[in-house]
Amino acid sequence: MSNEKIYINDEKFCFTNVKTALIIKSMKVKVYELKRSIVAFSFVLPCLIGFVFFYLYPTVRGFVYSFTDWDLFSAAHFVGLKNYSTLFKDPDFWVSMKVTVCYVLLNIPLQTVLALIIAIIMNRSGKSGFLRGVFLTPWIMSNVVVGLLWFWMLDPPLGIIDALLVKMGLQKINFLADTRTALPSIAGINIWRHMGYTALLVFAGLQSVPKEIEEAATIDGCGSIRKFFFVVLPYIRPVMLFVIVTTVIGSFQIYDTIAVTTRGGPVTATYAIYLFIYKNGFESYKMGYASAASIVLFVILAFISFLQMKFFRANESDS
């Protein structure tokens, strides 16, 4: 009976039975793969714990409370679908949804176009870290700081924006106190803050485009504009979809800037859905009702994200 030499993880073992050797080799491989999986999972575990305790658990608890009349102080009592039926009959809810949708329609197209332009500039500027830093500076600041900064800049008596308008011979504009300009002003503030970060995501996608594809398009006679829209942009479609989905979700969650500037006014011009949820939950102490509004918003965002990923083929690029 001849000995059989088996190598496992660069270690040599000698067995007299081939079948036994193969069984032991298979067991050794499984143990090795299990060890690797445990090590990999140990790196994910801290984030997983944070996700469960700070995202998943509050979401499940909010869903449960949406069927109660909890007011933060007394015990919660089950009321069935009463919160949802009241919510859909509440005119304030529909006003806040209308304002939020208008804000999204103002914010997303302009932010995406500006981010594309900035990403192209960053892509053509080579390894200019200074330029990228300039574009990312607004995003580094918190929403509250950015909101207060622009609140003072747009203030009619003291703000620099109105001072420049007067210098140019124009009239002052009460940007945040006029129902016609308040929401566009809020959208402009958030576009200014987030377009650098959005551009960085698009820039990362542009860096992944193979040079051979662009060179082939140039040889075929494509100009710069045609090459970008028909070669580069289809190639980075997964990145663009990720950018659009995340910006849409973020736009529906607008709160900080409104809270420190207009507080939902003038009248209801900037009364977004997050402000509706906050006021019902923490000012009127109708936490069950606010939870129902949060669940409805969650369903709306999930549905919008599903449609975007379904129709724009999230995991495919025209490569």
Side-chain angles (χ1 to χ4, degrees):
M1 185 177 294
S2 60
N3 292 339
E4 181 71 20
K5 295 180 180 179
I6 302 293
Y7 290 86
I8 303 174
N9 298 336
D10 298 327
E11 297 182 13
K12 184 171 68 174
F13 297 88
C14 187
F15 301 97
T16 57
N17 187 291
V18 175
K19 186 176 181 179
T20 304
L22 292 175
I23 292 173
I24 294 176
K25 179 180 179 181
S26 176
M27 292 175 62
K28 287 279 188 178
V29 170
K30 288 181 179 179
V31 170
Y32 175 71
E33 290 177 352
L34 179 62
K35 288 181 179 179
R36 290 191 61 183
S37 299
I38 292 173
V39 171
F41 184 74
S42 66
F43 286 103
V44 180
L45 188 60
C47 292
L48 185 61
I49 293 173
F51 172 78
V52 169
F53 281 97
F54 296 107
Y55 288 94
L56 183 60
Y57 174 69
T59 301
V60 174
R61 193 176 182 186
F63 178 75
V64 173
Y65 280 136
S66 70
F67 298 100
T68 69
D69 61 353
W70 187 43
D71 61 359
L72 285 176
F73 302 106
S74 58
H77 300 95
F78 182 76
V79 295
L81 297 174
K82 180 181 177 181
N83 288 329
Y84 290 95
S85 62
T86 305
L87 182 69
F88 292 129
K89 296 175 184 177
D90 189 346
D92 287 345
F93 170 74
W94 293 110
V95 168
S96 66
M97 284 302 301
K98 179 184 175 182
V99 169
T100 306
V101 170
C102 289
Y103 169 79
V104 171
L105 294 177
L106 285 171
N107 183 51
I108 298 302
L110 189 55
Q111 182 177 329
T112 304
V113 171
L114 289 174
L116 273 171
I117 295 172
I118 294 171
I120 293 170
I121 294 172
M122 292 168 65
N123 194 42
R124 294 189 176 183
S125 64
K127 299 181 179 180
S128 177
F130 173 77
L131 190 62
R132 298 173 197 173
V134 169
F135 288 129
L136 281 174
T137 299
W139 182 72
I140 295 173
M141 295 186 287
S142 70
N143 278 323
V144 174
V145 172
V146 171
L148 289 173
L149 174 66
W150 279 96
F151 177 76
W152 288 109
M153 290 175 64
L154 296 174
D155 184 62
L158 303 173
I160 189 174
I161 304 298
D162 277 321
L164 291 174
L165 291 177
V166 172
K167 287 287 185 181
M168 293 187 293
L170 302 174
Q171 291 184 345
K172 289 185 177 182
I173 300 175
N174 206 336
F175 289 95
L176 296 174
D178 192 323
T179 55
R180 296 169 298 177
T181 58
L183 192 62
S185 299
I186 295 294
I189 292 170
N190 282 283
I191 288 170
W192 179 80
R193 181 183 183 266
H194 292 97
M195 65 181 182
Y197 173 72
T198 308
L200 187 65
L201 297 176
V202 179
F203 169 71
L206 292 175
Q207 290 285 293
S208 68
V209 179
K211 298 298 181 183
E212 294 82 1
I213 295 178
E214 297 188 57
E215 292 171 359
T218 303
I219 293 172
D220 288 340
C222 286
S224 298
I225 297 176
R226 189 177 178 185
K227 180 172 64 176
F228 177 77
F229 283 102
F230 292 97
V231 177
V232 176
L233 203 56
Y235 191 90
I236 63 170
R237 185 175 60 227
V239 176
M240 292 303 302
L241 182 64
F242 171 78
V243 167
I244 293 173
V245 168
T246 53
T247 50
V248 167
I249 293 174
S251 296
F252 268 93
Q253 295 174 333
I254 176 66
Y255 171 78
D256 309 53
T257 309
I258 293 174
V260 299
T261 53
T262 63
R263 298 180 182 178
V267 194
T268 57
T270 59
Y271 191 53
I273 184 64
Y274 254 48
L275 201 63
F276 172 84
I277 294 170
Y278 173 81
K279 287 191 173 184
N280 277 280
F282 295 99
E283 291 184 5
S284 300
Y285 303 113
K286 297 188 292 185
M287 188 57 69
Y289 188 66
S291 298
S294 300
I295 295 301
V296 170
L297 179 61
F298 172 79
V299 172
I300 291 172
L301 291 178
F303 181 69
I304 292 173
S305 300
F306 171 77
L307 289 181
Q308 289 176 316
M309 298 180 73
K310 181 73 174 177
F311 289 105
F312 290 97
R313 295 176 293 167
N315 59 343
E316 299 177 15
S317 66
D318 296 336
S319 55

